[in-house]
Amino acid sequence: LTRAPLVSIIMPSWNRAFTIGEAIQSALDQTYRNWELIVCDDASEDRTVDVVRRFEDKRIRYMKFLKSNGAGARNKGLRHARGEYIAYLDSDNIWHPQFLDMMMRQLLGHPGYAIAYSAYLDTEIDGAKVLLHGVSRNSFRPVRLSSKNFMDLNTIVHHRRLYDWLGGFDTSLPRLQDWDLMLRYTGVFRPL
């Protein structure tokens, strides 16, 4: 890409020392290099901080917060984000190495769009086996999104102005805060 804006990756975590290293490594493996990773530690009581500190990369910012659950931790990370674009990577997920590059090429190649999402593989690791639970391939339709959330948060990249204008995650919701966020964002901005 001739223009490579900074992407802020928001990663909430609570007691995920056993998976967060792989998630961070998948950010480090990205072919798109202009990013910052904000690890939003939601008062972990395990070795999360030790795992994160093993990665010696200036683009990784570790922040430990008082317990506020996933939505609150993400909002705290969003307040510290410096990027023009925002992406989300949970501490128990991984990205394909070309994920950010593909998403940024799409967003920058379609200037009328401020949000993009992709398909994903839903898998589970069971011992030595990887179980495939499904492949997401839903095209966007507002009615479909209102009945079922098919936009996994880990596949979404959006311009920072969506957060600036519409706010972050609703911490008053006990669950489904990511679905609520996508309903609000896509109610104003059609996703790519």
Side-chain angles (χ1 to χ4, degrees), residues 117 137-150 179 183:
Y117 72 103
R137 295 234 187 267
N138 292 310
S139 58
F140 184 79
R141 287 207 310 259
V143 172
R144 183 182 291 157
L145 185 63
S146 68
S147 62
K148 181 179 189 245
N149 185 15
F150 54 82
W179 189 10
L183 286 169

Side-chain angles (χ1 to χ4, degrees), residues 16-161:
R16 288 265 177 80
F18 60 100
T19 60
I20 196 169
E22 290 177 77
I24 292 171
Q25 189 61 53
S26 82
L28 289 166
D29 291 342
Q30 293 299 300
T31 56
Y32 187 92
R33 307 300 299 162
N34 194 22
W35 52 262
E36 65 172 355
L37 171 61
I38 304 173
V39 177
C40 310
D41 189 336
D42 193 31
S44 291
E45 299 165 345
D46 65 357
R47 295 174 35 277
T48 295
V49 65
D50 300 326
V51 175
V52 175
R53 288 202 173 129
R54 280 191 301 211
F55 293 94
E56 295 180 6
D57 191 301
K58 293 177 188 160
R59 297 172 296 175
I60 300 171
R61 295 164 58 201
Y62 172 82
M63 298 180 179
K64 187 159 188 171
F65 300 115
L66 296 174
K67 188 80 176 126
S68 61
N69 298 319
R74 285 185 185 100
N75 284 342
K76 290 171 185 174
L78 285 165
R79 285 195 284 276
H80 290 278
R82 298 184 280 220
E84 185 179 344
Y85 286 86
I86 307 289
Y88 303 93
L89 179 59
D90 287 348
S91 56
D92 61 345
N93 287 317
I94 58 172
W95 280 338
H96 185 281
Q98 294 176 332
F99 171 74
L100 282 180
D101 185 66
M102 177 188 73
M103 298 302 277
M104 292 308 296
R105 283 179 189 278
Q106 290 298 314
L107 283 165
L108 296 173
H110 297 87
Y113 288 88
I115 182 170
Y117 72 103
S118 72
Y120 59 92
L121 297 174
D122 186 9
T123 60
E124 177 186 354
I125 298 173
D126 182 16
K129 295 185 293 188
V130 176
L131 308 171
L132 178 62
H133 291 294
V135 179
S136 158
R137 295 234 187 267
N138 292 310
S139 58
F140 184 79
R141 287 207 310 259
V143 172
R144 183 182 291 157
L145 185 63
S146 68
S147 62
K148 181 179 189 245
N149 185 15
F150 54 82
M151 297 174 68
D152 187 277
L153 189 61
N154 293 273
T155 73
I156 292 166
V157 179
H158 64 80
H159 198 281
R160 179 194 180 85
R161 68 178 170 255

